[in-house]
Amino acid sequence: TVLRLLVSTMELWLGLVYLMLLVAGRRLRAAWLPRAAVATGLAALVVLGAADPDRRIAEWNVQRWERTGAIDVSYLRDLSADAAPALERLPEPTRSCALELITARLVNEPDDWRAWNLSRATQRARFPHIEPAGRDCPPVID
């Protein structure tokens, strides 16, 4: 899930800050520590953003579905447009169930110039329309 990925990233960053704190304590100099902590935190944010978390999470869920046959569609429906390419690999009607809310947000929530996003613009071009899946979308498909 997104929460797991964010928590793991935060734990790694805090571990790095702790190691830097140990190095500063050993040297008995810590003037560099605040700048290093901020710089590594910013680097972690950039790497996390570049890693495309929603796409990766969708890929992991689709791979797990390929192995086990179980997938949590209700969770996948809440991911961003970044997840759509991975969700395309699912068979119907699971695919339509998973993509229904994502594409609805793309259609119903247009971006103005301040909120423009390359991923959403790309997905709008790829999914101009998707048939509604209906009310028979189960939250978890086994």
Side-chain angles (χ1 to χ4, degrees), residues 12-25:
L12 289 171
W13 178 72
L14 285 174
L16 180 60
V17 170
Y18 181 72
L19 289 174
M20 290 188 300
L21 186 62
L22 290 175
V23 169

Side-chain angles (χ1 to χ4, degrees), residues 3-63:
L3 181 60
R4 285 184 187 142
L5 184 62
L6 295 176
V7 167
S8 297
T9 302
M10 187 66 172
E11 287 174 344
L12 289 171
W13 178 72
L14 285 174
L16 180 60
V17 170
Y18 181 72
L19 289 174
M20 290 188 300
L21 186 62
L22 290 175
V23 169
R26 179 135 168 93
R27 290 183 172 178
L28 297 177
R29 290 188 187 159
W32 57 273
L33 185 59
R35 286 186 301 258
V38 169
T40 56
L42 290 174
L45 283 175
V46 168
V47 168
L48 188 61
D52 203 357
D54 281 1
R55 181 182 57 83
R56 290 189 185 277
I57 289 164
E59 286 174 355
W60 292 331
N61 277 274
V62 170
Q63 288 170 0

Side-chain angles (χ1 to χ4, degrees), residues 2 13 23 25 33-34 36 42 49 54 59 63 66 79-80 83 86 94 96 101-104 106 118 124 129 142:
V2 174
W13 178 72
V23 169
L33 185 59
L42 290 174
D54 281 1
E59 286 174 355
Q63 288 170 0
E66 290 169 344
L79 294 176
S80 72
T94 307
S96 293
L101 288 181
I102 294 171
T103 54
L106 290 173
L118 177 61
R124 279 190 181 100
H129 183 292
D142 289 326

